[in-house]
Amino acid sequence: MAIFLSLAVVTTVTFAVNASSIAAGGGIAVKLPNNWTMPQLQCPSCPGYVSAINEAGVAHSSVSLSLNPGGLGPQWIGAEVLSGKLLTGGATVQFVFNGVRTQWELASGLPFQIMSKGDSQGGFGQIKTLPQVNVVATASFLSHGKT
């Protein structure tokens, strides 16, 4: 039996730069799963608002967020490295998706697509290992609202 949920949650995707750096004009792109709230950058109190934070948990000063980076599509959000900035190996960019409506099937692996590019030349390339969200409901959650 499939049980579909639609929960408004805060979801964080953390991207850690590998040994290579990401130079100005390069960046990271994250695609929310299909049927989730469309990401947006205009209204912090509205569903789907996305922000980028650094290792210290404050607004990231080395990247600028955009929707549909490189024409990848409507569920994609990008973090482009700003002119004069560099993300060195080990640096992180945390994408914080606020009030996202997650529509998923319980206990199924749900992949996020993530791409990156090292500089302003060329397009985005798929990362080697995609993270997954696995949803496990507790007994109290499953019985909530049942009589």
Side-chain angles (χ1 to χ4, degrees):
M1 172 173 81
I3 300 174
F4 293 93
L5 302 177
S6 182
L7 304 171
V9 299
V10 174
T11 300
T12 302
V13 174
T14 302
F15 181 92
V17 178
N18 65 13
S20 302
S21 298
I22 299 178
I28 305 142
V30 176
K31 181 183 186 259
L32 285 177
N34 294 330
N35 300 319
W36 283 31
T37 303
M38 187 90 60
Q40 56 92 9
L41 300 169
Q42 301 300 315
C43 177
S45 62
C46 298
Y49 183 75
V50 183
S51 59
I53 58 176
N54 63 19
E55 300 85 2
V58 297
H60 213 297
S61 61
S62 296
V63 299
S64 174
L65 294 180
S66 65
L67 301 173
N68 190 17
L72 291 172
Q75 286 294 103
W76 287 88
I77 185 84
E80 181 179 333
V81 178
L82 297 169
S83 178
K85 301 288 185 174
L86 179 71
L87 295 178
T88 57
T92 64
V93 176
Q94 294 182 35
F95 294 82
V96 181
F97 300 91
N98 291 291
V100 175
R101 287 264 177 221
T102 61
Q103 298 175 14
W104 51 34
E105 187 175 339
L106 288 178
S108 65
L110 187 63
F112 279 79
Q113 287 183 285
I114 300 178
M115 297 182 154
S116 66
K117 64 179 190 168
D119 56 34
S120 61
Q121 304 301 309
F124 287 97
Q126 190 77 47
I127 66 171
K128 291 180 183 178
T129 305
L130 295 177
Q132 290 190 356
V133 173
N134 290 305
V135 181
V136 179
T138 64
S140 62
F141 177 82
L142 290 175
S143 65
H144 179 73
K146 292 185 179 179
T147 56

